[in-house]
């Protein structure tokens, strides 16, 4: 297990301090309320640690998930499956672009329970709109499993 913050580029991000399950990237501010964390692209992290392939990568970065799209594309066939959080913390269109990019690269998409296959961007959109309906928790996870 490598504990590393990932983003779309090497940078320092300010993260909310505390025991909240949804600590998020925020504007740099009060050092008592934020902590600076070094971030890098996921594909660069793989290369730096000599990771040739991975069976499973979990991505849960509180709204930053769409930022890793280009790194996932670069990783290509090096990863067999992703479990990615989708939430209200980033625009739905950004999540759909991420999902569409993976589907275009021959990843099958399944709902959180891995019971329902979501084959198109339209099916993913319907699933997310249901998951994010008023009164529901505005977070869900999707599986992306390589079809090779």
């Amino acid at each position: 297990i490598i504990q590393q913050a990932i983003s779309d580029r090497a940078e320092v991000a300010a993260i909310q301090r505390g025991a909240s399950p949804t600590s998020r990237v925020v504007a740099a501010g009060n050092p008592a309320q934020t902590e600076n964390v070094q971030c890098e692209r996921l594909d660069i992290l793989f290369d730096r640690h000599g990771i040739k392939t991975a069976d499973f990568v979990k991505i849960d970065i509180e709204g930053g998930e769409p930022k890793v799209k280009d790194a996932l594309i670069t990783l290509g066939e090096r990863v067999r499956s992703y479990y990615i959080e989708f939430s209200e913390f980033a625009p739905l269109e950004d999540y759909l672009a991420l999902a569409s990019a993976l589907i275009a690269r021959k990843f099958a998409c399944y709902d959180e329970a891995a019971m329902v296959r979501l084959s198109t961007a339209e099916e993913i959109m319907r699933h997310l709109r249901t998951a994010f309906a008023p009164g529901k928790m505005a977070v869900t996870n999707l599986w992306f499993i390589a079809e090779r």
Side-chain angles (χ1 to χ4, degrees):
I1 295 177
I2 298 170
Q3 294 184 357
Q4 171 73 51
I6 60 171
S7 187
D8 56 342
R9 63 188 176 277
E11 65 181 345
V12 174
I15 306 287
Q16 290 174 316
R17 284 188 186 266
S20 169
T22 58
S23 293
R24 300 181 44 209
V25 173
V26 295
N30 183 342
Q33 296 174 344
T34 62
E35 180 174 344
N36 288 334
V37 178
Q38 184 64 46
C39 301
E40 69 180 320
R41 282 176 52 115
L42 185 61
D43 53 323
I44 301 301
L45 178 129
F46 266 56
D47 293 342
R48 185 166 50 87
H49 289 281
I51 301 169
K52 302 284 186 230
T53 61
D55 290 326
F56 174 77
V57 173
K58 181 180 188 302
I59 300 174
D60 177 356
I61 48 180
E62 304 307 329
E65 296 83 6
K67 287 184 170 186
V68 303
K69 179 182 77 164
D70 291 339
L72 302 188
I73 291 167
T74 299
L75 285 170
E77 296 184 6
R78 294 172 65 181
V79 177
R80 288 185 55 211
S81 63
Y82 293 103
Y83 189 68
I84 303 174
E85 181 179 86
F86 285 59
S87 72
E88 65 181 3
F89 299 134
L92 185 58
E93 296 76 24
D94 293 352
Y95 282 112
L96 288 174
L98 169 61
S100 295
L102 289 171
I103 288 171
R105 281 148 187 84
K106 306 295 184 214
F107 280 84
C109 178
Y110 294 88
D111 70 333
E112 192 164 30
M115 300 294 290
V116 177
R117 183 169 180 165
L118 306 168
S119 299
T120 66
E122 293 78 24
E123 289 176 357
I124 293 169
M125 174 70 89
R126 279 194 300 274
H127 177 79
L128 294 176
R129 284 196 172 134
T130 299
F132 299 164
K136 292 192 174 190
M137 180 180 282
V139 64
T140 190
N141 295 281
L142 295 179
W143 284 98
F144 293 88
I145 302 169
E147 296 184 303
R148 298 183 188 104

